Amino acid sequence: MNTRRVVITGVGVLSPLGNDMQELQEGLETSRSGVVHVESWSEYKDFNTRVCGLVQWDDYKAIPRKSRRSMGRVAIMAAKTMQDAVADAGLSEEQISNPRTGISFGSTMGSDAALFDSIGTIAKEKTFIGQNSMSFLQFMSHTVAANIAAMFKIRGRNIPACSACTSSSMAIGIGYESIKYGMSDMMFVGGSEEAHPYNAGIFEIMAATSTRYNDTPDQTPRPFDTERDGLVTAEGAGTLVLEEYEAAKARGAKIYAEVIGYATSCDGEHITTPSSEGMEQVMRLALDDANITPDKVGYVNAHATSTPKGDIAESHASYAVFGDKTPISSTKGYMGHILGGCGVVESIIGLISLKTGLLPANKNLVKVDETCAPLDYLFEHRYGNHDIVMNNNFAFGGINTSLIFKKIEE
Amino acid sequence: MTEELVRATLKEVLIEEFEVEEDEIKEGANFFEDLDMDSLDAIDLIVMMDKKLNIDLKAEDAQKIRTIDEFVALIMTRA
């Protein structure tokens, strides 16, 4: 089968570490934490976690009112990163609205805040009177994809990717496959999540949130560490512009990297318990797609969320594929878990790694859990000469994704 | 309820919720042609005014209003 090469030509990001790629890079380099103490969550009874990774951005008027009215924070942040990515790639309205330009975006939930405002009243008062027309459009599952499509006049394919913590990594994969197999020439891809106590609450119900570091938020989460006590939810968003390589080259586009491999596969087992075998499988499938051997990968950005089971399972899957010679870190220690947005933000960290050589340390990793596999954990930043990185993400439902990016030779 | 109160409330809602510029809010202004609003905005304007003034406005009333003056007149009939 004839396939086409896919490259990244535009980036937009809002993260707890910064609101563009440069700020995100500086946040990593200086080992800053984007996790803060959130006192307002104390209004929920018997709710113990008080830490969250928050994005310091609320310039909502950057998005025109007519577009913004049907967006909650989750879609507004995504739309802002789309604006930035489009500007970064230097695209015209004609290119954006071309029928062969499509999008794929996802989030775990639509806007939690809109959901709470609307459903709470309807359920309690048993009436729809008094509801505005926009609430549902703000909290529906594909709010990010729908709103971005309308705002930017997208005429091509629109495939929402809503699969919890693999939403935005899956969106990148969908965009990559769309171009690789000739369905589109350009795809805007990414995802988002907004911070809300509900996001943290659902994990606390499952005893999976961090609660011991509420007064020292920069000390949590602690992926792979013996003293980890659960995940820290976060918010953020990101957009990548994907283009067919020859077209990007012909228009003189700035190329961040090539997407050379992607795979998604399913555990087909437990609804929440991660499977090491499933994680290993998806990494091997992505390597097959890229047609490379594991030793070619110079850095692995792990999903590791700082939960006891997940980190152990992932470490053994990574060891089975890479052994103990490939530098690996989870960058959730810097900002928490962006859920639907983590895949794209962590992929952008992969692009930073390719650009600068930075192999970011596992923030807060002091002593590796003895039940984790003996990987080449990054305890401090290193700088390498690598040209290939892998980004892995895993979601409820046993859904796994693995993405591989390669530096384009100048 | 006075017409003055209705106009003042409408002006406040248009500025704060629909981000209409104050100098665009003139007698006879058309919501759709002059204030860049559409049918969904009209429904939400009805909901917001209903809550502010505690009057009996329904979503279907949105189909009856085109201008500020028409809307104010409609509200005065329900006040």
Side-chain angles (χ1 to χ4, degrees):
Chain A
M1 184 187 298
N2 287 332
T3 58
R4 309 189 306 167
R5 295 173 68 183
V6 181
V7 291
I8 299 165
T9 59
V11 174
V13 64
L14 288 175
S15 81
L17 271 195
N19 299 338
D20 59 34
M21 212 169 162
Q22 185 62 34
E23 286 185 10
L24 178 56
Q25 179 185 323
E26 288 166 4
L28 292 167
E29 287 171 338
T30 56
S31 295
R32 204 159 52 74
S33 172
V35 176
V36 296
H37 179 97
V38 186
E39 187 54 36
S40 62
W41 288 3
S42 62
E43 68 184 15
Y44 287 82
K45 282 183 285 188
D46 302 321
F47 180 44
N48 298 309
T49 191
R50 294 278 186 285
V51 282
C52 187
L54 296 179
V55 170
Q56 303 301 321
W57 179 86
D58 60 1
D59 181 22
Y60 287 5
K61 292 198 174 177
I63 311 300
R65 182 195 74 85
K66 270 272 189 66
S67 299
R68 187 185 354 117
R69 63 183 178 167
S70 50
M71 299 178 181
R73 182 166 170 82
V74 63
I76 293 172
M77 288 193 296
K80 167 62 175 159
T81 67
M82 174 80 172
Q83 274 183 333
D84 291 348
V86 164
D88 187 36
L91 300 173
S92 66
E93 288 180 10
E94 289 73 22
Q95 287 169 306
I96 295 167
S97 294
N98 188 302
R100 289 189 57 80
T101 298
I103 67 169
S104 184
F105 282 87
S107 57
T108 300
M109 304 277 292
S111 170
D112 301 279
L115 180 70
F116 265 49
D117 286 348
S118 177
I119 297 290
T121 309
I122 294 169
K124 187 177 172 192
E125 299 180 7
K126 299 286 185 289
T127 179
F128 296 95
I129 300 294
Q131 294 296 315
N132 73 43
S133 68
M134 295 296 156
S135 295
F136 175 75
L137 303 173
Q138 294 172 1
F139 70 68
M140 63 185 184
S141 57
H142 71 310
T143 184
V144 175
N147 275 295
I148 284 181
M151 176 175 167
F152 291 90
K153 303 189 187 316
I154 300 298
R155 312 282 189 222
R157 52 176 28 200
N158 181 354
I159 308 179
C162 299
S163 60
C165 308
T166 51
S167 297
S168 55
S169 53
M170 185 173 279
I172 297 169
I174 288 168
Y176 159 73
E177 290 179 343
S178 295
I179 296 171
K180 179 178 180 178
Y181 296 109
M183 316 295 285
S184 300
D185 295 330
M186 185 181 295
M187 290 287 288
F188 303 109
V189 297
S192 181
E193 206 75 56
E194 70 181 37
H196 194 274
Y198 184 68
N199 282 342
I202 54 178
F203 286 106
E204 185 144 323
I205 290 167
M206 299 177 201
T209 50
S210 173
T211 58
R212 291 191 349 232
Y213 300 92
N214 288 338
D215 296 327
T216 52
D218 63 330
Q219 300 295 306
T220 192
R222 313 174 64 85
F224 302 119
D225 190 74
T226 49
E227 298 299 322
R228 72 191 184 282
D229 71 331
L231 63 76
V232 174
T233 58
E235 65 179 358
T239 297
L240 299 180
V241 179
L242 304 184
E243 280 187 75
E244 191 273 321
Y245 173 59
E246 295 297 338
K249 205 168 57 168
R251 76 175 183 89
K254 169 181 59 186
I255 296 175
Y256 286 93
E258 179 175 1
V259 188
I260 61 167
Y262 166 70
T264 180
S265 64
C266 205
D267 296 342
E269 291 182 10
H270 195 273
I271 192 74
T272 56
T273 303
S275 156
S276 194
E277 292 75 19
M279 295 168 168
E280 179 185 340
Q281 172 180 282
V282 81
M283 292 182 219
R284 291 195 186 282
L285 287 170
L287 290 164
D288 288 348
D289 185 52
N291 197 27
I292 60 169
T293 49
D295 59 297
K296 297 289 188 291
V297 175
Y299 167 66
V300 177
N301 189 297
H303 184 67
T305 64
S306 188
T307 62
K309 285 184 182 174
D311 291 11
I312 295 168
E314 182 173 0
S315 73
H316 287 277
S318 304
Y319 184 75
V321 175
F322 293 103
D324 61 0
K325 297 288 186 287
T326 305
I328 186 168
S329 64
S330 163
T331 44
K332 290 184 174 70
Y334 298 84
M335 64 187 85
H337 186 355
I338 307 176
L339 308 174
C342 77
V344 65
V345 172
E346 289 163 11
S347 291
I348 292 168
I349 291 172
L351 301 183
I352 291 170
S353 179
L354 289 176
K355 179 184 167 197
T356 64
L358 173 67
L359 302 166
N362 288 277
K363 185 171 169 56
N364 296 327
L365 176 59
V366 177
K367 184 168 184 280
V368 175
D369 180 344
E370 288 179 357
T371 52
C372 287
L375 301 168
D376 181 12
Y377 297 101
L378 288 154
F379 287 91
E380 294 177 342
H381 292 335
R382 284 184 229 157
Y383 285 85
N385 260 334
H386 54 293
D387 61 359
I388 296 178
V389 299
M390 174 183 274
N391 175 35
N392 296 320
N393 296 104
F394 312 113
F396 281 169
I399 301 173
N400 308 311
T401 64
S402 182
L403 284 156
I404 305 175
F405 305 103
K406 183 179 182 184
K407 194 189 294 186
I408 287 273
E409 287 167 19
E410 302 285 341
Chain B
M1 189 184 305
T2 64
E3 184 176 323
E4 193 179 12
L5 173 67
V6 172
R7 285 191 184 274
T9 306
L10 179 57
K11 185 175 178 179
E12 178 190 328
V13 169
L14 287 172
I15 291 170
E16 290 184 5
E17 304 293 339
F18 296 89
E19 299 174 18
V20 175
E21 296 295 329
E22 186 170 356
D23 59 6
E24 292 177 329
I25 305 172
K26 299 170 183 159
E27 285 185 21
N30 185 299
F31 291 115
F32 310 111
E33 293 167 13
D34 301 324
L35 304 185
D36 192 31
M37 295 170 69
D38 63 14
S39 58
L40 291 173
D41 286 329
I43 290 170
D44 292 343
L45 178 62
I46 292 270
V47 169
M48 288 171 197
M49 289 298 286
D50 186 82
K51 283 181 180 169
K52 289 257 184 196
L53 299 174
N54 195 24
I55 45 181
D56 187 26
L57 290 172
K58 296 280 189 295
E60 50 264 35
D61 289 326
Q63 296 168 12
K64 300 174 192 162
I65 61 167
R66 292 190 308 272
T67 67
I68 286 178
D69 291 346
E70 284 174 358
F71 190 33
V72 170
L74 175 72
I75 292 171
M76 293 309 294
T77 66
R78 307 281 173 87

